[in-house]
Amino acid sequence: MNARRRLAGIIPAAVLFALFAAVPAVAAMAGSRADDDAIWREFVAAMKSGGPGPEKVRPYYEELRGPIMGFLKGMRQKADWAEWERTPEAHRVGEHLHYLIPLTFDGQTATYCWTFLVEDGAWFFRHLEAITIRLDKTAPLPTSSFPDVDEETKAHIREETAWSREIRLFNLLSEIKGKAFALDVFKDGNGYFLAAKTWVPFVEPRQAFILYACWEQSNLRGNKVTLEKLDDQEAAVKMAPHYFRLYEESAHLAQQISFLDYAAIFETIWKDRARAAGWSLVIEYVSEPYRASECRLVFKRAS
């Protein structure tokens, strides 16, 4: 698994877009390079000695305090302090100070954005993000080209946005009509199978469903998918879905829904799709390095 997202990626679906001084609408706050460097050094020293205390943490949303403290603890345990001693790229935007610095965890290096609130010379840790969109490098206006991120990151953003919205819907319907009703809303099997057998008309419909599912999950959703077996009686598909990775990486999801209910949504969707296509389905999960990091969907021809 990508280490940077396991330790960060904690803002809700909108994601923290880092818009810096090159964007005209954002005014930078005055501050010297020496001041910026001093705050970072103080923060690193605090991390080395156990992390900043609760009084030095002011998250954007109070419900993110617990997850943020957990992420900081995990990063301290795996830190290569020589990397932290480097001078980060610093951006002052209003009352906030953002640092960009490459760090390595579990053998994977990524650039992290650390955000601090600065008030009357005092700093307070605010946010940690593994996604930074470099729109500060937007070309002079007028322009139709905007700095991009890699495909995996875009898939992550799309899935986080979509599932954050769906979980809010699930919770609302569960409260009003009960969980069984809320889960039924996610059943899309008939439409999914219709798409499969009309968009992939080259093979028998049940096999078209399997092939379409692999294509949709890989090419549209950005999941890692392996088709292991496909014949008239059985099919097996292994994938590492963003869906379960999001639960580990996006702090707000774990606070909004239990893992059992979250997994129930996934299973409801896929079992209904299998039913519509004439398959029965068993889902096998791999629990390392996190719950359901991979799953194997075993389809058998329904009697």
Side-chain angles (χ1 to χ4, degrees), residues 239-241 244-245 259 285-288 290-295:
M239 64 178 175
F244 288 109
R245 185 189 303 177
F259 184 80
Y285 294 105
V286 174
S287 59
E288 294 294 336
Y290 57 89
R291 291 173 293 185
S293 59
E294 286 187 350
C295 58

Side-chain angles (χ1 to χ4, degrees), residues 9 28 30 34 80 88 90 102 146 164 202 211 250 292:
D80 177 354
F146 305 94
S164 295
F202 316 105
L211 293 171
S250 303

Side-chain angles (χ1 to χ4, degrees), residues 203 206-215 217-218 223-231 234-240 279 295-299:
V203 294
R206 277 184 297 270
Q207 293 193 21
F209 165 80
I210 300 297
L211 293 171
Y212 173 72
C214 292
W215 177 87
Q217 288 295 300
S218 177
N223 294 323
K224 182 180 179 181
V225 177
T226 302
L227 177 59
E228 296 182 328
K229 182 178 182 179
L230 177 59
D231 59 37
E234 186 174 348
V237 177
K238 184 172 69 175
M239 64 178 175
W279 298 99
C295 58
R296 189 168 183 262
L297 281 62
V298 180
F299 300 87

Side-chain angles (χ1 to χ4, degrees), residues 135-213:
L135 295 177
D136 57 321
K137 299 183 181 296
T138 301
L141 307 185
T143 181
S144 298
S145 178
F146 305 94
D148 207 351
V149 294
D150 60 83
E151 290 300 322
E152 182 182 0
T153 299
K154 285 190 283 190
H156 178 97
I157 292 172
R158 285 193 296 267
E159 292 292 283
E160 184 180 40
T161 300
W163 285 112
S164 295
R165 182 175 59 247
E166 297 289 359
I167 296 310
R168 290 196 299 272
L169 174 64
F170 173 82
N171 287 337
L172 176 62
L173 292 176
S174 294
E175 182 178 349
I176 297 173
K177 304 286 286 186
K179 286 185 181 179
F181 180 90
L183 287 171
D184 281 344
V185 170
F186 287 87
K187 294 179 178 179
D188 64 353
N190 292 339
Y192 195 89
F193 183 43
L194 178 62
K197 62 187 176 183
T198 56
W199 292 348
V200 188
F202 316 105
V203 294
E204 184 271 333
R206 277 184 297 270
Q207 293 193 21
F209 165 80
I210 300 297
L211 293 171
Y212 173 72

Side-chain angles (χ1 to χ4, degrees), residues 7-8 12 36-37 39 64 69 88-89 92 107 117 120 122 138 149 160-161 195 202 241 264 270 274 280 284:
L7 292 169
D36 296 347
D37 292 347
I39 290 175
L64 292 177
M69 298 301 288
E89 178 182 342
R92 282 187 178 253
L117 173 67
D120 299 323
T138 301
V149 294
E160 184 180 40
T161 300
F202 316 105
W270 280 105
S280 64
E284 304 168 351

